[in-house]
Amino acid sequence: MTAYEPPGAPGTGTGTGTGPTRGAAPAGYDAVVLAGGASRRLGGTDKPGVRVGGRALLDRVLAACGGARSTVVVAAPRPTARAVTWAREDPPGGGPLAALDAGLRHTTAEHVVVLSADLPFLQEPTVGRLLDALRSSGRDGVLLTDPGGRDQPLVAAYRAPRLREELALLAGRHGALAGLPLRRLTAELDLTRISDPVASFDCDTWDDIATARARIREHGHVLDEWISAVKDELGIDLEVDTRGLLDLARDAAHGVARPAAPLTTFLVGYAAAQAGGGPEAVEEAARKAVALAARWAQESTSEAQQPGDGALPPEGDVAPDATPDTRPDAG
């Protein structure tokens, strides 16, 4: 396994998870995800299907490369949260080089992200960093390293033509790619590296799985993980201001009544959908609900401080567009 370090390291993509700091990876790349293997250290369990935070490891990796023009998964087909192209190495179980070669045959982009299917903490910003570094470096590839400085060639971005060139040379030299270690390929490439102790964490053993499951339930991560899991489950691809919605729920709970919080956030979502969806629609619906909650709370306060006869009502008790009734019979 790669070692695990606490959150806060570069490229973890932590934070609100839905705010402006969370950007999608640059467009114009393909992704190849290697999801085969015997998972011997998991007792033969189907590792890509093991759930961490309610989501299969494979689905978590697919979410991280969601900006890919085309995503190829090299494994036997299975249900996934998003559509992918399936490929199989020849022979099945022939190892990472044979799997990579099979996946590349279904890609056309100049840049390809190559990932294993057991990376619970990989997120789109890290994929974007790899691609940005590849484009600016002029190298054959950019890969992550773990805290011990070890290369992680299955958390990397490469120039696809160079991969195809070297894979063809290796196949010609050895007669086949099956059974060859991945280092035979990386040794021939001009690579640069990015250190990311969290995104490079992979799950090889049940202890690794337990560590990953414990981390996402820590206070600083559980909300982001839950929101990501819900969006995956519902097939929603929408970035919204999580903090703003939480503030709205707090205001509704304190200024109106506790059950008002979940009902209000539901109605905000419904109103945003009716308005066509998108972050702007959610923001506008939330803004209106926040203003209403503030007025509601203000009225509750003013009721306890009723003005005497002839006194003006407290500021805010009159709607901004209200005007005195000037009809002759008014009064």
Side-chain angles (χ1 to χ4, degrees), residues 76-190:
R78 68 183 67 213
T80 52
R82 50 177 287 244
V84 301
T85 298
W86 297 96
R88 203 71 171 114
E89 71 273 30
D90 184 20
L97 285 189
L100 177 57
D101 180 65
L104 282 174
R105 295 177 185 274
H106 296 271
T107 66
T108 57
E110 179 184 355
H111 301 130
V112 61
V113 171
V114 177
L115 305 169
S116 61
D118 61 353
L119 303 164
F121 305 133
L122 183 68
Q123 295 185 2
E124 273 194 285
T126 302
V127 172
R129 289 179 64 218
L130 288 167
L131 289 164
D132 286 343
L134 177 64
R135 292 179 174 120
S136 62
S137 69
R139 303 288 186 87
D140 295 334
V142 180
L143 48 77
L144 292 191
T145 60
D146 67 16
R150 293 179 291 272
D151 288 349
Q152 300 298 313
L154 296 184
V155 199
Y158 298 98
R159 299 188 187 278
R162 285 289 295 124
L163 289 184
R164 293 189 181 94
E165 178 184 351
E166 290 301 331
L167 287 170
L169 290 173
L170 286 169
R173 191 179 306 149
H174 297 277
L177 294 172
L180 294 180
L182 199 56
R183 64 177 178 272
R184 292 285 182 91
L185 173 65
T186 55
E188 302 299 326
L189 300 174
D190 180 17

Side-chain angles (χ1 to χ4, degrees), residues 164-316:
R164 293 189 181 94
E165 178 184 351
E166 290 301 331
L167 287 170
L169 290 173
L170 286 169
R173 191 179 306 149
H174 297 277
L177 294 172
L180 294 180
L182 199 56
R183 64 177 178 272
R184 292 285 182 91
L185 173 65
T186 55
E188 302 299 326
L189 300 174
D190 180 17
L191 302 172
T192 188
R193 292 156 177 83
I194 295 175
S195 176
D196 195 323
V198 175
S200 62
F201 179 86
D202 59 5
C203 293
D204 288 333
T205 68
W206 286 113
D207 284 344
D208 298 340
I209 298 292
T211 298
R213 288 172 171 170
R215 179 185 183 267
I216 65 170
R217 284 169 172 77
E218 294 172 359
H219 177 70
H221 304 283
V222 64
L223 181 60
D224 295 338
E225 288 288 346
W226 170 248
I227 290 172
S228 295
V230 170
K231 290 197 297 185
D232 254 16
E233 191 73 15
L234 300 180
I236 298 171
D237 185 16
L238 175 66
E239 300 302 332
V240 297
D241 181 4
T242 305
R243 194 58 52 196
L245 289 178
L246 287 176
D247 289 344
L248 165 62
R250 179 202 62 202
D251 293 344
H254 292 174
V256 183
R258 188 168 298 277
L263 291 172
T264 303
T265 51
F266 165 77
L267 291 172
V268 163
Y270 186 84
Q274 291 289 91
E280 296 81 5
V282 175
E283 182 180 353
E284 176 62 12
R287 182 192 65 77
K288 291 179 178 179
V290 167
L292 174 61
R295 295 197 302 270
W296 188 289
Q298 192 170 39
E299 288 178 12
S300 299
T301 302
S302 65
E303 284 176 4
Q305 302 172 348
Q306 287 295 332
D309 290 343
L312 293 173
E315 183 181 356

